[in-house]
Every structure is written in C-alpha cells, then in structure tokens.
Amino acid sequence: MPDTRTEIEPRLREAAPSPLPGSTKTGRAKPPRRRRFLLPALLVLGLAAAGGAWLRWGGAGAPDQLWLTATAERGDIEDAITALGTLQPLSYVDVGTQVSGQLKTLHVAIGDRVKAGDLLAEIDPTVYQTRVEADRAQIANLAAQRAEKEAQLLLARQQAERQRSLKASRATSDDALQVAEAAFVAAQAQLDSIDAQTRQIQSTLKGDEANLGYTKIYAPIDGTVVSQSARRGQTLNANQSAPIIVQVADLATMTVEAQVSEADVSRLRLGMTAYFTTLGMPEKRWYGALRQVQPTPEVVNNVVLYNALFDVPNQDGTLMTQMTAQVFFVSAAAQDTLLVPVTALSGLSPGTSSAAPGRATVRVLKPSGSVETRTVTVGVTNRAQAEILSGLEPGEQVITGSRRQDAAPAPGQNRRPRF
C-alpha cells in the first residue's frame, strides 16, 4: 500500500503561506524592532516625569532643592554714603619770613613740638641792623639841628620884640620892624621843618626796627612742626613771594576732607554722623559730624567731586597728616532690628528709615514646603539688607531666588533649540 504521508506533506508545504518578514526558522514571526524598544522608553519617561513631579510638589527634600532662601535675623543696619578722603590738621600755619636774607639758624626740625612764641629760625640781621643805626644817626642829627633852630628862633623873637618897643617910642623905622618880624617867622618855620623831618625818620626807624625783629621768626601757635621748606644757609627772597620756612600744625584735632561724587552730594546734611577708617587700622572707627560741604567742586578725569569736611579728636596723635580715609556718611541706621536680604523684597515702595517706612512683599517658605506671600513694612535699606518693621518673625525663611534650571528665559533671550 503506498505511503500516503509522503505524498501529502509536499502538498501541504506548497499550500502554506509565505513566512512573514522577520520570522524564525521555526516559522514563528518576530515582533517589529520599533515595538521592541518602545515599551522600555515609555517606562523611563514615566519614571522621569514622576521624579520631576515629586521634586516639584512633594518629597521631603523638595523645598531646599527648589528655592534659595535666607533666614530673617536680628542685627544692625545702616545706609551710608561712601567716599575717599585725606586727613589734614584743623589748625595749621605756614610760617614764612617777611624779610629777605640768608637763613642763618634753624632751631627746630620736623616732628618737634613747639609753644607759641618759641624761636624757630633766624635770618642774617646785618643789613637791617645797619639801617636801624643809620635812622638813629639821622634822628640825632636832626635833634642837633633843632637845637640850633631853637636858638635862632629865640634870637629872632627878641629882635622882633625890641623893634616893637622902639617903634612904640618912634625910635625905629617901620622897615626895621618888618625885617625883625619876618626873621622871627622864618625861624619858627625852620624849627617846624626840623620837627617834620624828625617824625619822618622816626617812622622809618620803626619800620627798620620791625624788619630787624622779623629776622627772628617765632611760633605763632602751639603745635608740631609737620614740614620744613627751607634749609640753613639758604637765601630767602621775600620781595617776590613770602618764603615758607616751616609749617606748624595743631594735631590735637584733625579735619577729614572727603570727596563726594555729584550723584551723592545731594544726600548729605550738615550735622549728620560720619566716620572713617584708615588703611593701617581698618577695624577702628573715628566718628564726627559733617561740618561743611564746599560749594566749589574739583573735576578729576571728568568726575565732579565736592569736598565734605568733618573734624575728629586726635589727642593721642594716632592720626597723621595726609592719611587716606575710607569715609562713611550715615544717612539712616537701626540697631538690633530684624533684617532680610534686599533680594527677598519685591514691589518696594519708597522708605528711608523707621520714621518713614515703606511697603514690600516677600515670599515665606513654610516648614511644610508651601510658599506664602506676605506684605511687610520696610525701614532702613541699603544695597545688601533691609530692615523689616512688621510682617515677619525672626527665624522665618524668606525666598531670595530659585534653583530651577528650566526657568523661563529673560525677555529678549531665546532658548537654545532642541533637536
């Protein structure tokens, strides 16, 4: 009997459909490649979305990772106008000479303390001594001439009286009487001329004696010799300008000359508190009150600067001439008050002090992670901090910024396109 199985199998294979693309040798169809990777990708995207939502709206560490915060704390604050200045003595005198000559002796050196009336220097007095001696000799000569004229005046007076007596008895002529009287008047005039010359020479003598006195130079005030412009043996010419020999300054009180820009000078008020530090002692402050703002500015590299002056005591002599000072003029200040960073405020209305407060809004981060928007009263502000008068409590966290990397771009800034 023929084997029917061997005859049927070839026909069944011919009648079977063609295998699908990707089918295995066993005849099973492979799933498409795109479908094979789609499910894992969807799973990863789902996990990422869930993680982002957890970071944004939930999770124990989400607030700290999303927001930049600062703690409202108590402290001191001041709003100050800054400037650079130099130190100068409040009282000083440039000691010069009124006469010309060679500087014969210099009795002081820089740093010496002097009292008013102390001898500082001497100029060669020879020329002025000779002038004084000549004036005195002229006065003595005029005194001798005056004695002679007095004798002549006495004789002329006697002759005139005799002629008047003779005329009364008609024993002389009118011509003789007139000659005698004229001689008397002339003798009186000559005596008056001698007196005038004497007064003139006496006046010259006073001037020459004063110049002789100016050859010795005395300290005009109590103070310290801070500079010396002349040397022993130097010839000084007072006819063209007054030569300066030394400068004597009272260093017990120093004046700070601070240069304030034109943008800040309108904020200055006379009497406002000012302080400064020096390069050598930045930790120490010297305080004073604004005394004067000079109306004429200085222009340095096209920058308009006004000199603001205030005085500070210097009894210990720590401060010296021409020291550089970092100056602060305090326009408003508060002590032991609640402070937050200025970056935490938004919508700030004008306010300069506790007496003239402003208003602003802040975002407070609650312990639960929620954000609360509050309106606060703002007092003194500066570039870094602000005083909060009401609306916050110490220890509360205020939001100063965000850590989000996908924040909206600033106006005019385009995001980088993604491909």
Side-chain angles (χ1 to χ4, degrees):
M1 184 174 181
D3 189 358
T4 58
R5 187 178 57 182
T6 58
E7 295 179 359
I8 296 174
E9 287 180 355
R11 296 177 182 178
L12 292 175
R13 284 196 297 269
E14 292 177 2
S18 301
L20 294 174
S23 62
T24 62
K25 292 181 179 180
T26 60
R28 293 182 180 178
K30 287 185 178 180
R33 182 175 299 178
R34 182 176 301 173
R35 184 182 304 170
R36 185 170 56 186
F37 293 103
L38 180 60
L39 183 59
L42 292 175
L43 180 60
V44 172
L45 291 177
L47 291 175
W54 180 78
L55 290 175
R56 180 170 301 183
W57 293 293
D64 292 338
Q65 296 176 7
L66 181 61
W67 303 111
L68 296 174
T69 62
T71 305
E73 297 178 336
R74 303 195 71 85
D76 299 338
I77 185 175
E78 66 178 21
D79 181 19
I81 302 164
T82 60
L84 284 178
T86 56
L87 295 175
Q88 298 290 349
L90 174 62
S91 177
Y92 68 91
V93 178
D94 291 326
V95 182
T97 175
Q98 294 181 257
V99 295
S100 301
Q102 186 182 57
L103 185 58
K104 183 178 180 181
T105 308
L106 190 61
H107 296 282
V108 294
I110 296 177
D112 291 350
R113 295 189 61 85
V114 296
K115 298 290 186 180
D118 288 351
L119 182 62
L120 302 179
E122 295 182 65
I123 295 175
D124 186 3
T126 304
V127 174
Y128 302 98
Q129 286 177 344
T130 57
R131 291 178 182 177
V132 170
E133 292 174 357
D135 293 338
R136 290 173 179 172
Q138 289 186 29
I139 291 176
N141 182 31
L142 290 173
Q145 293 182 27
R146 190 178 192 285
E148 178 184 0
K149 296 302 180 182
E150 285 180 343
Q152 292 178 359
L153 178 62
L154 179 59
L155 176 61
R157 180 184 297 111
Q158 293 173 350
Q159 289 178 349
E161 290 177 353
R162 187 179 301 110
Q163 289 296 325
R164 292 190 190 97
S165 299
L166 294 174
K167 180 60 178 175
S169 60
R170 297 182 179 181
T172 185
S173 63
D174 293 339
D175 183 65
L177 176 60
Q178 292 173 357
V179 170
E181 291 180 344
F184 172 71
V185 174
Q188 182 65 53
Q190 291 177 0
L191 185 61
D192 294 340
S193 176
I194 294 296
D195 290 340
Q197 293 180 43
T198 301
R199 289 193 297 271
Q200 181 181 3
I201 298 301
Q202 287 176 341
S203 177
T204 303
L205 174 62
K206 288 181 180 180
D208 290 338
E209 286 176 341
N211 287 334
L212 178 61
Y214 292 150
T215 60
K216 292 184 177 182
I217 301 169
Y218 300 92
I221 61 172
D222 296 348
T224 303
V225 179
V226 296
S227 68
Q228 178 180 331
S229 306
R231 298 291 183 268
R232 180 179 177 182
Q234 181 177 344
T235 300
L236 306 176
N237 185 3
N239 296 324
Q240 297 178 355
S241 62
I244 304 301
I245 298 177
V246 295
Q247 184 183 83
V248 178
D250 183 5
L251 302 180
T253 303
M254 302 295 289
T255 296
V256 182
E257 297 181 358
Q259 292 188 319
V260 181
S261 67
E262 60 179 327
D264 294 328
V265 71
S266 60
R267 299 174 58 193
L268 297 180
R269 298 291 182 269
L270 296 182
M272 69 188 306
T273 301
Y275 67 89
F276 70 93
T277 60
T278 61
L279 296 178
M281 290 181 288
E283 72 285 351
K284 183 174 181 180
R285 295 182 178 183
W286 284 267
Y287 285 85
L290 180 60
R291 171 169 58 88
Q292 180 186 14
V293 178
Q294 295 180 348
T296 303
E298 297 181 13
V299 181
V300 180
N301 296 328
N302 295 326
V303 178
V304 180
L305 302 171
Y306 291 84
N307 286 330
L309 311 181
F310 65 96
D311 306 323
V312 294
N314 185 37
Q315 299 296 335
D316 57 358
T318 304
L319 302 175
M320 298 183 181
T321 304
Q322 294 297 330
M323 276 187 171
T324 301
Q326 178 67 46
V327 183
F328 302 85
F329 296 96
V330 182
S331 60
Q335 286 76 38
D336 191 25
T337 187
L338 190 62
L339 303 177
V340 298
V342 171
T343 54
L345 305 180
S346 61
L348 178 62
S349 61
T352 58
S353 65
S354 301
R359 307 284 288 181
T361 59
V362 297
R363 291 182 297 171
V364 181
L365 185 62
K366 308 296 289 184
S368 62
S370 62
V371 177
E372 177 185 355
T373 301
R374 296 184 192 174
T375 300
V376 295
T377 305
V378 183
V380 180
T381 61
N382 56 27
R383 292 182 177 91
Q385 294 179 305
E387 177 191 15
I388 303 301
L389 301 177
S390 63
L392 279 180
E393 295 296 331
E396 290 189 301
Q397 298 291 317
V398 294
I399 296 175
T400 60
S402 173
R403 295 181 184 272
R404 293 178 57 186
Q405 300 298 325
D406 59 342
Q413 179 180 357
N414 295 325
R415 293 192 181 189
R416 178 179 297 178
R418 298 180 179 178
F419 299 97

